[in-house]
Amino acid sequence: MPRRGALRAAAGLVLGGTSAAGCARDAPSRSTAGKAQEGEGDRRGREAFGAVRQGVAPRRLAGQPVQIEHGPRASPRVALTFHGRGDPALARAVLAQAERAGARLTVLAVGDWLDRNPGMARRILDGGHDLGNHTQGHLDINAMDETRAYEEITGCARRLRRLTGSIGTWFRPSRARHATPLVQELAQRAGYPHVLSYDVDSLDFTSPGVAAVTRKVAGELRNGSVVSLHFGYRDTVAALPLLLTEIDRRRLRAVTATELLT
């Protein structure tokens, strides 16, 4: 299609020839799904993923460490994970773009963001995406004492349960790539068997520009990667179609963290 061709051409210019070995798909082509949904809005994108989902409870994954950075390297799948805060209009734009391309995301939501935008929890789940916990106030949780850190985790968990019936599928620490041993222990006490880290940091929160975000992710992306991205940044919204095109070119699939790891 003309729009898809334009995206491929733009991706080639931005990536400057970045390449990776392709892998055989284990599911139907995202290109086919994208063509079927091209130009549709949020409502049609949600319908394409089926009926409204209830929040899914976290579960322990056999053979996985407490703190997970990536999925299986032999699987042609990646997880695009988003720190959930910022302008909800930009968040909805990201979700709609992903759904039109047949991609599913993982959103780690901040509790006070859900307080201000309670409809976003259901919007995320309705699109077939994962929804998890990114603490209540997005403060430096690793620097907190046990009581405050536990309240940051459980405060967001309570909001997720109230809005979705579940505490969410994953926990990710705020202001840190990795959780300290104490925060890992507190997350498990709160009901999260695993802490979801990442192996690819887009650095989109520094607003480096669309080309820089795209190159950073494309240069580090590989089978099983978990990518850190953020709602609330226009560079990210503009870069996402290019990233999805690059993922498609490499014969990878963008799936939820749950799908990647199970």
Side-chain angles (χ1 to χ4, degrees):
M1 296 178 65
R3 182 175 177 273
R4 187 167 187 81
L7 281 177
R8 286 189 181 277
L13 289 172
V14 171
L15 295 170
T18 301
S19 63
C23 301
R25 289 181 194 265
D26 57 354
S29 165
R30 235 195 48 237
S31 301
T32 303
K35 288 179 182 178
Q37 297 175 19
E38 194 72 24
E40 301 294 345
D42 284 7
R43 181 182 63 81
R44 291 182 182 271
R46 290 195 294 274
E47 291 172 352
F49 285 113
V52 172
R53 299 195 315 153
Q54 184 72 356
V56 179
R59 57 189 175 123
R60 186 175 301 280
L61 303 176
Q64 291 285 358
V66 173
Q67 191 149 229
I68 299 173
E69 291 188 351
H70 61 79
R73 293 303 191 190
S75 175
R77 297 180 175 193
V78 297
L80 303 180
T81 68
F82 284 79
H83 301 239
R85 65 193 306 232
D87 184 348
L90 296 180
R92 285 191 289 269
V94 166
L95 294 170
Q97 285 178 346
E99 289 158 13
R100 284 194 293 268
R104 300 195 190 199
L105 311 177
T106 298
V107 179
L108 293 310
V110 176
D112 62 14
W113 183 71
L114 293 175
D115 289 341
R116 295 189 298 273
N117 307 284
M120 287 304 304
R122 181 52 58 193
R123 171 64 186 89
I124 291 161
L125 292 178
D126 286 359
H129 312 289
D130 268 359
L131 178 62
N133 180 330
H134 195 37
T135 75
Q136 175 58 24
H138 202 260
L139 304 172
D140 185 358
I141 191 169
N142 284 342
M144 295 179 182
D145 61 32
E146 180 175 345
T147 301
R148 285 191 65 206
Y150 189 62
E151 181 55 34
E152 278 292 303
I153 299 169
T154 57
C156 184
R158 286 193 297 271
R159 282 149 180 83
L160 287 166
R161 188 184 294 281
R162 184 178 69 243
L163 292 170
T164 72
S166 162
I167 65 172
T169 50
W170 301 99
F171 168 75
R172 173 173 288 170
S174 49
R175 308 259 177 182
R177 185 168 188 160
H178 299 104
T180 62
L182 172 61
V183 172
Q184 291 181 46
E185 178 187 331
L186 296 177
Q188 290 183 304
R189 187 190 305 172
Y192 300 95
H194 301 281
V195 173
L196 184 63
S197 183
Y198 46 89
D199 63 322
V200 178
D201 189 349
S202 69
L203 298 179
D204 59 346
F205 62 92
T206 66
S207 299
V210 175
V213 171
T214 308
R215 284 199 189 100
K216 179 73 164 60
V217 175
E220 299 177 14
L221 193 71
R222 51 190 292 213
N223 283 11
S225 282
V226 176
V227 183
S228 171
L229 295 151
H230 293 73
F231 285 163
Y233 293 87
R234 295 187 182 279
D235 286 352
T236 309
V237 178
L240 185 60
L242 300 174
L243 292 175
L244 292 171
T245 298
E246 177 66 6
I247 287 169
D248 188 55
R249 185 184 73 79
R250 298 188 193 190
R251 302 293 182 181
L252 299 171
R253 291 183 62 222
V255 299
T256 66
T258 299
E259 292 171 302
L260 178 70
L261 293 161
T262 58

